[in-house]
């Protein structure tokens, strides 16, 4: 059995082709954080079950230009992910079945 805490920090962004193609929008690099936990139970040498939970905070900032004026937009959203994974490892072969649940 194993258990652990997960922590993350990195770049985040919103992907929308309409905003990326529009020359009136200027995107900024933004960062986000995540925290979570993992619990794993291994049966024998080759099989196991793991459950992961992550809570992420994401951001996207961009400027919108209209009539020689700039408008600042700041979008924030949170994601909760629950992941269930079964593993089977045998020599050079490994099979993972992963199920994700987004909230």
């Amino acid at each position: 059995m194993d258990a652990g805490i997960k922590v993350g920090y990195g770049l985040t962004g919103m992907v929308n082709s309409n905003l990326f193609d529009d020359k009136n929008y200027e995107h900024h690099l933004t960062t986000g954080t995540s925290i979570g936990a993992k619990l794993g139970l291994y049966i024998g040498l080759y099989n196991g079950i793991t459950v992961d939970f992550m809570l992420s905070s994401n951001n996207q900032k961009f400027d919108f230009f209209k009539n020689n004026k700039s408008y600042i937009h700041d979008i924030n959203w949170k994601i909760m992910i629950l992941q269930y994974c079964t593993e089977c490892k045998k020599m050079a072969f490994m099979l993972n079945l992963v199920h994700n649940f987004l909230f």
Side-chain angles (χ1 to χ4, degrees):
M1 176 188 247
D2 71 342
I5 296 174
K6 299 170 130 187
V7 178
Y9 176 81
L11 295 175
T12 64
M14 182 177 62
V15 178
N16 183 322
S17 62
N18 292 329
L19 294 177
F20 278 111
D21 294 340
D22 193 336
K23 295 180 184 186
N24 293 322
Y25 286 93
E26 180 180 305
H27 289 75
H28 300 280
L29 289 176
T30 54
T31 58
T33 58
S34 62
I35 188 166
K38 175 191 181 215
L39 179 64
L41 176 65
Y42 296 94
I43 304 156
L45 294 175
Y46 306 112
N47 301 307
I49 299 169
T50 61
V51 177
D52 295 61
F53 175 78
M54 293 292 292
L55 176 61
S56 299
S57 175
N58 303 287
N59 303 296
Q60 176 63 66
K61 294 181 182 179
F62 53 88
D63 295 332
F64 175 69
F65 299 101
K66 186 173 183 180
N67 299 331
N68 294 328
K69 207 169 185 187
S70 175
Y71 300 93
I72 299 172
H73 293 274
D74 188 5
I75 299 172
N76 303 305
W77 69 97
K78 294 189 184 304
I79 301 173
M80 287 189 291
I81 301 172
L82 179 63
Q83 183 179 60
Y84 166 76
C85 178
T86 57
E87 299 175 352
C88 177
K89 301 175 189 174
K90 189 82 170 183
M91 298 175 76
F93 176 76
M94 181 171 162
L95 174 67
N96 279 338
L97 300 174
V98 178
H99 305 281
N100 288 319
F101 303 97
L102 298 174
F103 301 98

PDB file of all heavy atoms in Angstrom, residues 46-72:
ATOM      1  N   TYR A  46       2.303  -7.895  -9.339  1.00  0.00           N
ATOM      2  CA  TYR A  46       1.986  -7.358 -10.655  1.00  0.00           C
ATOM      3  C   TYR A  46       0.693  -6.555 -10.765  1.00  0.00           C
ATOM      4  O   TYR A  46       0.458  -5.921 -11.763  1.00  0.00           O
ATOM      5  CB  TYR A  46       1.921  -8.499 -11.680  1.00  0.00           C
ATOM      6  CG  TYR A  46       3.165  -9.336 -11.705  1.00  0.00           C
ATOM      7  CD1 TYR A  46       3.146 -10.646 -11.279  1.00  0.00           C
ATOM      8  CD2 TYR A  46       4.367  -8.793 -12.144  1.00  0.00           C
ATOM      9  CE1 TYR A  46       4.295 -11.413 -11.311  1.00  0.00           C
ATOM     10  CE2 TYR A  46       5.529  -9.555 -12.171  1.00  0.00           C
ATOM     11  CZ  TYR A  46       5.479 -10.860 -11.742  1.00  0.00           C
ATOM     12  OH  TYR A  46       6.615 -11.610 -11.767  1.00  0.00           O
ATOM     13  N   ASN A  47      -0.188  -6.604  -9.807  1.00  0.00           N
ATOM     14  CA  ASN A  47      -1.504  -5.973  -9.936  1.00  0.00           C
ATOM     15  C   ASN A  47      -1.701  -4.910  -8.864  1.00  0.00           C
ATOM     16  O   ASN A  47      -1.215  -5.046  -7.747  1.00  0.00           O
ATOM     17  CB  ASN A  47      -2.613  -7.014  -9.834  1.00  0.00           C
ATOM     18  CG  ASN A  47      -2.489  -8.070 -10.893  1.00  0.00           C
ATOM     19  OD1 ASN A  47      -2.407  -7.751 -12.067  1.00  0.00           O
ATOM     20  ND2 ASN A  47      -2.454  -9.326 -10.486  1.00  0.00           N
ATOM     21  N   GLY A  48      -2.467  -3.885  -9.212  1.00  0.00           N
ATOM     22  CA  GLY A  48      -2.734  -2.839  -8.243  1.00  0.00           C
ATOM     23  C   GLY A  48      -3.912  -1.972  -8.618  1.00  0.00           C
ATOM     24  O   GLY A  48      -4.405  -1.989  -9.740  1.00  0.00           O
ATOM     25  N   ILE A  49      -4.389  -1.228  -7.641  1.00  0.00           N
ATOM     26  CA  ILE A  49      -5.488  -0.277  -7.803  1.00  0.00           C
ATOM     27  C   ILE A  49      -5.033   1.035  -7.164  1.00  0.00           C
ATOM     28  O   ILE A  49      -4.525   1.041  -6.046  1.00  0.00           O
ATOM     29  CB  ILE A  49      -6.769  -0.770  -7.111  1.00  0.00           C
ATOM     30  CG1 ILE A  49      -7.233  -2.088  -7.720  1.00  0.00           C
ATOM     31  CG2 ILE A  49      -7.867   0.271  -7.191  1.00  0.00           C
ATOM     32  CD1 ILE A  49      -8.330  -2.755  -6.930  1.00  0.00           C
ATOM     33  N   THR A  50      -5.197   2.143  -7.877  1.00  0.00           N
ATOM     34  CA  THR A  50      -4.867   3.443  -7.312  1.00  0.00           C
ATOM     35  C   THR A  50      -6.045   4.400  -7.487  1.00  0.00           C
ATOM     36  O   THR A  50      -6.795   4.314  -8.451  1.00  0.00           O
ATOM     37  CB  THR A  50      -3.625   4.070  -7.983  1.00  0.00           C
ATOM     38  OG1 THR A  50      -3.877   4.253  -9.363  1.00  0.00           O
ATOM     39  CG2 THR A  50      -2.399   3.216  -7.785  1.00  0.00           C
ATOM     40  N   VAL A  51      -6.193   5.294  -6.540  1.00  0.00           N
ATOM     41  CA  VAL A  51      -7.207   6.350  -6.594  1.00  0.00           C
ATOM     42  C   VAL A  51      -6.486   7.675  -6.361  1.00  0.00           C
ATOM     43  O   VAL A  51      -5.740   7.821  -5.398  1.00  0.00           O
ATOM     44  CB  VAL A  51      -8.307   6.128  -5.532  1.00  0.00           C
ATOM     45  CG1 VAL A  51      -9.300   7.272  -5.549  1.00  0.00           C
ATOM     46  CG2 VAL A  51      -9.019   4.808  -5.751  1.00  0.00           C
ATOM     47  N   ASP A  52      -6.681   8.619  -7.280  1.00  0.00           N
ATOM     48  CA  ASP A  52      -6.071   9.945  -7.186  1.00  0.00           C
ATOM     49  C   ASP A  52      -7.171  10.999  -7.143  1.00  0.00           C
ATOM     50  O   ASP A  52      -8.178  10.876  -7.840  1.00  0.00           O
ATOM     51  CB  ASP A  52      -5.193  10.232  -8.406  1.00  0.00           C
ATOM     52  CG  ASP A  52      -3.996   9.330  -8.507  1.00  0.00           C
ATOM     53  OD1 ASP A  52      -4.201   8.110  -8.617  1.00  0.00           O
ATOM     54  OD2 ASP A  52      -2.875   9.826  -8.487  1.00  0.00           O
ATOM     55  N   PHE A  53      -6.947  12.050  -6.361  1.00  0.00           N
ATOM     56  CA  PHE A  53      -7.844  13.198  -6.318  1.00  0.00           C
ATOM     57  C   PHE A  53      -7.004  14.454  -6.485  1.00  0.00           C
ATOM     58  O   PHE A  53      -5.978  14.613  -5.824  1.00  0.00           O
ATOM     59  CB  PHE A  53      -8.615  13.259  -4.993  1.00  0.00           C
ATOM     60  CG  PHE A  53      -9.450  14.497  -4.867  1.00  0.00           C
ATOM     61  CD1 PHE A  53     -10.652  14.590  -5.532  1.00  0.00           C
ATOM     62  CD2 PHE A  53      -9.019  15.570  -4.108  1.00  0.00           C
ATOM     63  CE1 PHE A  53     -11.421  15.742  -5.444  1.00  0.00           C
ATOM     64  CE2 PHE A  53      -9.777  16.720  -4.009  1.00  0.00           C
ATOM     65  CZ  PHE A  53     -10.983  16.796  -4.676  1.00  0.00           C
ATOM     66  N   MET A  54      -7.415  15.341  -7.399  1.00  0.00           N
ATOM     67  CA  MET A  54      -6.707  16.600  -7.631  1.00  0.00           C
ATOM     68  C   MET A  54      -7.700  17.763  -7.666  1.00  0.00           C
ATOM     69  O   MET A  54      -8.778  17.642  -8.244  1.00  0.00           O
ATOM     70  CB  MET A  54      -5.951  16.580  -8.958  1.00  0.00           C
ATOM     71  CG  MET A  54      -4.798  15.614  -9.032  1.00  0.00           C
ATOM     72  SD  MET A  54      -3.425  16.039  -7.967  1.00  0.00           S
ATOM     73  CE  MET A  54      -2.798  17.510  -8.723  1.00  0.00           C
ATOM     74  N   LEU A  55      -7.328  18.867  -7.062  1.00  0.00           N
ATOM     75  CA  LEU A  55      -8.090  20.116  -7.125  1.00  0.00           C
ATOM     76  C   LEU A  55      -7.166  21.155  -7.762  1.00  0.00           C
ATOM     77  O   LEU A  55      -6.092  21.439  -7.237  1.00  0.00           O
ATOM     78  CB  LEU A  55      -8.521  20.576  -5.739  1.00  0.00           C
ATOM     79  CG  LEU A  55      -9.242  21.908  -5.659  1.00  0.00           C
ATOM     80  CD1 LEU A  55     -10.536  21.866  -6.464  1.00  0.00           C
ATOM     81  CD2 LEU A  55      -9.526  22.276  -4.220  1.00  0.00           C
ATOM     82  N   SER A  56      -7.579  21.684  -8.925  1.00  0.00           N
ATOM     83  CA  SER A  56      -6.751  22.623  -9.680  1.00  0.00           C
ATOM     84  C   SER A  56      -7.409  23.992  -9.765  1.00  0.00           C
ATOM     85  O   SER A  56      -8.622  24.098  -9.904  1.00  0.00           O
ATOM     86  CB  SER A  56      -6.537  22.116 -11.111  1.00  0.00           C
ATOM     87  OG  SER A  56      -5.874  20.892 -11.098  1.00  0.00           O
ATOM     88  N   SER A  57      -6.590  25.024  -9.692  1.00  0.00           N
ATOM     89  CA  SER A  57      -7.025  26.404  -9.863  1.00  0.00           C
ATOM     90  C   SER A  57      -6.358  26.940 -11.124  1.00  0.00           C
ATOM     91  O   SER A  57      -5.135  26.954 -11.220  1.00  0.00           O
ATOM     92  CB  SER A  57      -6.624  27.229  -8.647  1.00  0.00           C
ATOM     93  OG  SER A  57      -6.925  28.576  -8.844  1.00  0.00           O
ATOM     94  N   ASN A  58      -7.168  27.352 -12.116  1.00  0.00           N
ATOM     95  CA  ASN A  58      -6.657  27.776 -13.419  1.00  0.00           C
ATOM     96  C   ASN A  58      -7.020  29.232 -13.690  1.00  0.00           C
ATOM     97  O   ASN A  58      -8.012  29.741 -13.188  1.00  0.00           O
ATOM     98  CB  ASN A  58      -7.247  26.896 -14.520  1.00  0.00           C
ATOM     99  CG  ASN A  58      -6.947  25.442 -14.289  1.00  0.00           C
ATOM    100  OD1 ASN A  58      -5.828  25.011 -14.470  1.00  0.00           O
ATOM    101  ND2 ASN A  58      -7.935  24.676 -13.854  1.00  0.00           N
ATOM    102  N   ASN A  59      -6.207  29.887 -14.528  1.00  0.00           N
ATOM    103  CA  ASN A  59      -6.396  31.302 -14.851  1.00  0.00           C
ATOM    104  C   ASN A  59      -6.134  31.551 -16.324  1.00  0.00           C
ATOM    105  O   ASN A  59      -5.355  30.838 -16.950  1.00  0.00           O
ATOM    106  CB  ASN A  59      -5.412  32.164 -14.056  1.00  0.00           C
ATOM    107  CG  ASN A  59      -5.521  31.959 -12.580  1.00  0.00           C
ATOM    108  OD1 ASN A  59      -6.540  32.249 -11.998  1.00  0.00           O
ATOM    109  ND2 ASN A  59      -4.476  31.432 -11.973  1.00  0.00           N
ATOM    110  N   GLN A  60      -6.764  32.574 -16.863  1.00  0.00           N
ATOM    111  CA  GLN A  60      -6.439  33.081 -18.198  1.00  0.00           C
ATOM    112  C   GLN A  60      -6.673  34.582 -18.188  1.00  0.00           C
ATOM    113  O   GLN A  60      -7.745  35.040 -17.805  1.00  0.00           O
ATOM    114  CB  GLN A  60      -7.290  32.432 -19.278  1.00  0.00           C
ATOM    115  CG  GLN A  60      -7.050  32.997 -20.671  1.00  0.00           C
ATOM    116  CD  GLN A  60      -5.627  32.763 -21.161  1.00  0.00           C
ATOM    117  OE1 GLN A  60      -5.223  31.644 -21.373  1.00  0.00           O
ATOM    118  NE2 GLN A  60      -4.871  33.828 -21.319  1.00  0.00           N
ATOM    119  N   LYS A  61      -5.661  35.328 -18.588  1.00  0.00           N
ATOM    120  CA  LYS A  61      -5.764  36.786 -18.684  1.00  0.00           C
ATOM    121  C   LYS A  61      -5.521  37.185 -20.119  1.00  0.00           C
ATOM    122  O   LYS A  61      -4.653  36.635 -20.791  1.00  0.00           O
ATOM    123  CB  LYS A  61      -4.736  37.457 -17.782  1.00  0.00           C
ATOM    124  CG  LYS A  61      -4.972  37.218 -16.318  1.00  0.00           C
ATOM    125  CD  LYS A  61      -3.937  37.914 -15.476  1.00  0.00           C
ATOM    126  CE  LYS A  61      -4.193  37.590 -14.012  1.00  0.00           C
ATOM    127  NZ  LYS A  61      -3.234  38.210 -13.125  1.00  0.00           N
ATOM    128  N   PHE A  62      -6.303  38.140 -20.599  1.00  0.00           N
ATOM    129  CA  PHE A  62      -6.072  38.692 -21.927  1.00  0.00           C
ATOM    130  C   PHE A  62      -6.644  40.090 -22.009  1.00  0.00           C
ATOM    131  O   PHE A  62      -7.490  40.480 -21.216  1.00  0.00           O
ATOM    132  CB  PHE A  62      -6.628  37.794 -23.044  1.00  0.00           C
ATOM    133  CG  PHE A  62      -8.062  37.406 -22.894  1.00  0.00           C
ATOM    134  CD1 PHE A  62      -9.073  38.193 -23.391  1.00  0.00           C
ATOM    135  CD2 PHE A  62      -8.401  36.211 -22.281  1.00  0.00           C
ATOM    136  CE1 PHE A  62     -10.393  37.827 -23.264  1.00  0.00           C
ATOM    137  CE2 PHE A  62      -9.724  35.835 -22.154  1.00  0.00           C
ATOM    138  CZ  PHE A  62     -10.716  36.644 -22.651  1.00  0.00           C
ATOM    139  N   ASP A  63      -6.129  40.853 -22.951  1.00  0.00           N
ATOM    140  CA  ASP A  63      -6.604  42.207 -23.225  1.00  0.00           C
ATOM    141  C   ASP A  63      -7.468  42.179 -24.475  1.00  0.00           C
ATOM    142  O   ASP A  63      -7.182  41.447 -25.424  1.00  0.00           O
ATOM    143  CB  ASP A  63      -5.431  43.161 -23.468  1.00  0.00           C
ATOM    144  CG  ASP A  63      -4.563  43.335 -22.239  1.00  0.00           C
ATOM    145  OD1 ASP A  63      -5.081  43.202 -21.122  1.00  0.00           O
ATOM    146  OD2 ASP A  63      -3.361  43.602 -22.407  1.00  0.00           O
ATOM    147  N   PHE A  64      -8.502  42.991 -24.471  1.00  0.00           N
ATOM    148  CA  PHE A  64      -9.370  43.144 -25.633  1.00  0.00           C
ATOM    149  C   PHE A  64      -9.261  44.596 -26.083  1.00  0.00           C
ATOM    150  O   PHE A  64      -9.431  45.517 -25.289  1.00  0.00           O
ATOM    151  CB  PHE A  64     -10.815  42.792 -25.273  1.00  0.00           C
ATOM    152  CG  PHE A  64     -11.784  43.034 -26.388  1.00  0.00           C
ATOM    153  CD1 PHE A  64     -11.764  42.254 -27.526  1.00  0.00           C
ATOM    154  CD2 PHE A  64     -12.715  44.056 -26.309  1.00  0.00           C
ATOM    155  CE1 PHE A  64     -12.651  42.474 -28.563  1.00  0.00           C
ATOM    156  CE2 PHE A  64     -13.616  44.287 -27.335  1.00  0.00           C
ATOM    157  CZ  PHE A  64     -13.573  43.492 -28.471  1.00  0.00           C
ATOM    158  N   PHE A  65      -8.948  44.794 -27.361  1.00  0.00           N
ATOM    159  CA  PHE A  65      -8.774  46.136 -27.909  1.00  0.00           C
ATOM    160  C   PHE A  65      -9.962  46.492 -28.791  1.00  0.00           C
ATOM    161  O   PHE A  65     -10.323  45.745 -29.694  1.00  0.00           O
ATOM    162  CB  PHE A  65      -7.489  46.208 -28.742  1.00  0.00           C
ATOM    163  CG  PHE A  65      -6.266  45.918 -27.944  1.00  0.00           C
ATOM    164  CD1 PHE A  65      -5.654  44.677 -28.012  1.00  0.00           C
ATOM    165  CD2 PHE A  65      -5.726  46.882 -27.107  1.00  0.00           C
ATOM    166  CE1 PHE A  65      -4.516  44.401 -27.275  1.00  0.00           C
ATOM    167  CE2 PHE A  65      -4.591  46.618 -26.368  1.00  0.00           C
ATOM    168  CZ  PHE A  65      -3.994  45.370 -26.446  1.00  0.00           C
ATOM    169  N   LYS A  66     -10.582  47.652 -28.489  1.00  0.00           N
ATOM    170  CA  LYS A  66     -11.704  48.138 -29.299  1.00  0.00           C
ATOM    171  C   LYS A  66     -11.707  49.654 -29.254  1.00  0.00           C
ATOM    172  O   LYS A  66     -11.645  50.252 -28.177  1.00  0.00           O
ATOM    173  CB  LYS A  66     -13.022  47.575 -28.765  1.00  0.00           C
ATOM    174  CG  LYS A  66     -14.202  47.917 -29.636  1.00  0.00           C
ATOM    175  CD  LYS A  66     -15.460  47.200 -29.174  1.00  0.00           C
ATOM    176  CE  LYS A  66     -16.576  47.522 -30.129  1.00  0.00           C
ATOM    177  NZ  LYS A  66     -17.810  46.877 -29.774  1.00  0.00           N
ATOM    178  N   ASN A  67     -11.773  50.277 -30.428  1.00  0.00           N
ATOM    179  CA  ASN A  67     -11.810  51.743 -30.541  1.00  0.00           C
ATOM    180  C   ASN A  67     -10.657  52.400 -29.786  1.00  0.00           C
ATOM    181  O   ASN A  67     -10.855  53.321 -28.998  1.00  0.00           O
ATOM    182  CB  ASN A  67     -13.155  52.283 -30.041  1.00  0.00           C
ATOM    183  CG  ASN A  67     -14.318  51.761 -30.846  1.00  0.00           C
ATOM    184  OD1 ASN A  67     -14.188  51.458 -32.029  1.00  0.00           O
ATOM    185  ND2 ASN A  67     -15.458  51.613 -30.202  1.00  0.00           N
ATOM    186  N   ASN A  68      -9.458  51.896 -30.008  1.00  0.00           N
ATOM    187  CA  ASN A  68      -8.242  52.419 -29.376  1.00  0.00           C
ATOM    188  C   ASN A  68      -8.292  52.386 -27.849  1.00  0.00           C
ATOM    189  O   ASN A  68      -7.666  53.197 -27.175  1.00  0.00           O
ATOM    190  CB  ASN A  68      -7.943  53.851 -29.855  1.00  0.00           C
ATOM    191  CG  ASN A  68      -7.607  53.889 -31.316  1.00  0.00           C
ATOM    192  OD1 ASN A  68      -7.032  52.936 -31.848  1.00  0.00           O
ATOM    193  ND2 ASN A  68      -7.972  54.974 -31.978  1.00  0.00           N
ATOM    194  N   LYS A  69      -9.060  51.489 -27.296  1.00  0.00           N
ATOM    195  CA  LYS A  69      -9.167  51.335 -25.863  1.00  0.00           C
ATOM    196  C   LYS A  69      -8.899  49.872 -25.511  1.00  0.00           C
ATOM    197  O   LYS A  69      -9.258  48.970 -26.258  1.00  0.00           O
ATOM    198  CB  LYS A  69     -10.569  51.737 -25.408  1.00  0.00           C
ATOM    199  CG  LYS A  69     -10.643  52.237 -24.011  1.00  0.00           C
ATOM    200  CD  LYS A  69     -12.001  52.846 -23.746  1.00  0.00           C
ATOM    201  CE  LYS A  69     -11.980  53.453 -22.376  1.00  0.00           C
ATOM    202  NZ  LYS A  69     -13.249  53.920 -21.943  1.00  0.00           N
ATOM    203  N   SER A  70      -8.273  49.642 -24.371  1.00  0.00           N
ATOM    204  CA  SER A  70      -7.928  48.284 -23.937  1.00  0.00           C
ATOM    205  C   SER A  70      -8.792  47.884 -22.742  1.00  0.00           C
ATOM    206  O   SER A  70      -8.931  48.642 -21.785  1.00  0.00           O
ATOM    207  CB  SER A  70      -6.455  48.230 -23.554  1.00  0.00           C
ATOM    208  OG  SER A  70      -6.134  46.976 -23.037  1.00  0.00           O
ATOM    209  N   TYR A  71      -9.370  46.692 -22.800  1.00  0.00           N
ATOM    210  CA  TYR A  71     -10.175  46.140 -21.712  1.00  0.00           C
ATOM    211  C   TYR A  71      -9.485  44.874 -21.215  1.00  0.00           C
ATOM    212  O   TYR A  71      -9.142  43.995 -22.005  1.00  0.00           O
ATOM    213  CB  TYR A  71     -11.584  45.812 -22.190  1.00  0.00           C
ATOM    214  CG  TYR A  71     -12.331  47.006 -22.727  1.00  0.00           C
ATOM    215  CD1 TYR A  71     -12.313  47.298 -24.087  1.00  0.00           C
ATOM    216  CD2 TYR A  71     -13.029  47.836 -21.874  1.00  0.00           C
ATOM    217  CE1 TYR A  71     -12.979  48.392 -24.589  1.00  0.00           C
ATOM    218  CE2 TYR A  71     -13.714  48.947 -22.368  1.00  0.00           C
ATOM    219  CZ  TYR A  71     -13.687  49.210 -23.725  1.00  0.00           C
ATOM    220  OH  TYR A  71     -14.355  50.294 -24.217  1.00  0.00           O
ATOM    221  N   ILE A  72      -9.274  44.774 -19.920  1.00  0.00           N
ATOM    222  CA  ILE A  72      -8.577  43.632 -19.338  1.00  0.00           C
ATOM    223  C   ILE A  72      -9.603  42.590 -18.884  1.00  0.00           C
ATOM    224  O   ILE A  72     -10.562  42.913 -18.186  1.00  0.00           O
ATOM    225  CB  ILE A  72      -7.706  44.079 -18.154  1.00  0.00           C
ATOM    226  CG1 ILE A  72      -6.657  45.080 -18.631  1.00  0.00           C
ATOM    227  CG2 ILE A  72      -7.055  42.893 -17.476  1.00  0.00           C
ATOM    228  CD1 ILE A  72      -5.883  45.728 -17.511  1.00  0.00           C
TER     229      ILE A  72
END
